[in-house]
């Protein structure tokens, strides 16, 4: 049975989907689930292809201003191998300045998950803008943002395609050598913010055993490195009790899946 409903905001008539029985609803959900699982597999395959993209060397020694003074691009890695830099528009001339950053960039900032989970996967996330540090520190405090945020002082934004529009660049550090490995902007940035989506654009990926990664890439057992954001230890070493719990959960899930196929 199809029908109509009032759109609460506009008062216009909204032509809603049909209302059906629970059984019919469940059948429709399972039908859509087939396509959703296909999309998940396609997304995993795309991430695997991304991990095989060629790299390009970064030869310029870019400089930034951080809360404690001048830092280079190498410093932004904070000792880790992977670096994600989001160019956020917060500077004179941006609508909202100086009380607010760009509305779109601010929505991205509002969605950023706790960076401890990225750090546990050898990955650092940094925001970069042209606003002075005093304004950035004030903005972060007012908006409740905690991710590292530096001031661009040279041609970094122009050189990496983010001088006139937002975008996310990914870098890998091999010793003191830096390589650009990936770039996404426009609607691609809509997906950023969550731990998994960030890891999926890095050259090492989620670093879990199920992933299709090139030979020799670091991988650990799935789920086992997960932790509360205030409880990670060096190298995200698995907690013994969590390993037992997650193993039991996986076993129960596999048993339920097997029953459903019988």
């Amino acid at each position: 049975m199809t029908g109509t409903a009032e759109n609460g905001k506009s008062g216009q008539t909204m032509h809603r989907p049909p209302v059906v029985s629970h059984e019919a609803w469940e059948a429709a959900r399972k039908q859509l689930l087939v396509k959703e699982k296909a999309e998940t597999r396609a997304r995993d395959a795309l991430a695997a292809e991304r991990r095989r993209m060629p790299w390009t060397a970064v030869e310029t020694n870019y400089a930034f201003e951080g809360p404690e003074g001048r830092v280079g691009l190498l410093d932004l890695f904070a000792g880790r191998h992977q670096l994600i830099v989001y160019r956020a528009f917060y500077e004179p001339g941006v609508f909202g300045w100086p009380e607010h950053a760009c509305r779109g960039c601010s929505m991205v900032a509002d969605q950023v998950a706790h960076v401890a989970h990225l750090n546990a996967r050898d990955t650092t996330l940094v925001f970069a803008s042209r606003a002075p540090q005093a304004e950035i520190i004030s903005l972060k405090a007012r908006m409740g943002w905690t991710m590292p945020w530096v001031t661009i002082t040279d041609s970094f934004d122009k050189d990496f395609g983010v001088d006139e529009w937002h975008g996310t660049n990914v870098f890998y550090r091999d010793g003191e050598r830096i390589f650009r490995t990936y770039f996404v902007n426009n609607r691609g940035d809509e997906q950023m913010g969550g731990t998994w989506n960030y890891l999926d654009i890095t050259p090492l990926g989620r670093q879990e055993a199920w992933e299709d990664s090139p030979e020799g890439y670091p991988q650990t057992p799935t789920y086992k490195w997960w932790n509360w954001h205030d409880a990670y230890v060096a190298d995200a070493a698995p907690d013994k009790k969590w390993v037992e719990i997650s193993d039991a959960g996986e076993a129960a899930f596999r048993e339920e899946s097997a029953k459903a196929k019988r």
Side-chain angles (χ1 to χ4, degrees):
M1 177 179 68
T2 59
T4 60
E6 183 179 299
N7 184 323
K9 286 192 174 182
S10 68
Q12 295 179 340
T13 299
M14 182 177 70
H15 294 275
R16 59 168 170 75
V19 176
V20 299
S21 67
H22 171 74
E23 291 75 18
W25 181 89
E26 188 64 33
R29 186 192 72 85
K30 289 181 178 179
Q31 186 176 18
L32 185 61
L33 184 60
V34 173
K35 296 180 180 179
E36 290 175 334
K37 287 186 175 182
E39 181 188 27
T40 298
R41 289 191 290 270
R43 189 167 61 246
D44 290 341
L46 187 60
E49 186 174 348
R50 193 179 291 122
R51 289 190 288 277
R52 291 166 171 82
M53 271 189 60
W55 299 356
T56 183
V58 178
E59 305 292 355
T60 302
N61 186 23
Y62 294 99
F64 307 84
E65 285 293 331
E68 299 179 3
R70 193 174 181 86
V71 293
L73 182 60
L74 189 65
D75 298 309
L76 299 190
F77 284 82
R80 302 181 182 94
H81 284 94
Q82 301 191 130
L83 171 67
I84 301 170
V85 181
Y86 176 72
R87 202 292 197 210
F89 277 86
Y90 180 49
E91 59 194 58
V94 170
F95 178 67
W97 170 265
E99 288 77 19
H100 288 289
C102 157
R103 288 185 176 181
C105 296
S106 296
M107 286 187 69
V108 172
D110 278 336
Q111 297 176 71
V112 172
H114 202 292
V115 296
H117 304 296
L118 289 174
N119 297 165
R121 292 281 90 177
D122 199 16
T123 304
T124 299
L125 172 68
V126 174
F127 274 42
S129 299
R130 284 199 169 271
Q133 274 299 296
E135 278 71 24
I136 289 176
I137 291 170
S138 176
L139 176 71
K140 288 176 61 179
R142 185 170 62 256
M143 300 298 286
W145 298 330
T146 59
M147 74 287 285
W149 198 319
V150 296
T151 301
I152 300 168
T153 66
D154 48 31
S155 62
F156 175 86
D157 47 4
K158 184 176 182 179
D159 292 350
F160 291 104
V162 289
D163 57 325
E164 297 180 352
W165 198 241
H166 61 83
T168 303
N169 279 282
V170 184
F171 303 92
Y172 186 86
R173 178 184 65 83
D174 183 4
E176 294 192 354
R177 297 192 68 196
I178 299 174
F179 303 90
R180 187 191 194 193
T181 65
Y182 188 67
F183 173 65
V184 62
N185 63 0
N186 297 324
R187 289 199 63 192
D189 269 342
E190 290 180 359
Q191 305 303 314
M192 296 300 101
T195 301
W196 306 125
N197 284 335
Y198 275 132
L199 290 176
D200 282 347
I201 66 171
T202 64
L204 299 182
R206 304 183 187 193
Q207 303 164 55
E208 293 186 338
W210 63 271
E211 284 183 301
D212 175 11
S213 292
E215 183 178 355
Y217 274 43
Q219 290 186 319
T220 59
T222 308
Y223 311 129
K224 304 304 183 281
W225 64 273
W226 297 6
N227 211 333
W228 298 295
H229 74 247
D230 63 347
Y232 281 110
V233 296
D235 300 318
D239 177 87
K240 182 178 179 181
K241 184 61 178 179
W242 168 241
V243 171
E244 294 174 359
I245 292 172
S246 59
D247 281 347
E250 288 181 69
F253 176 77
R254 285 193 293 269
E255 176 62 22
E256 287 298 317
S257 296
K259 288 180 181 179
K261 293 179 180 179
R262 290 170 189 163

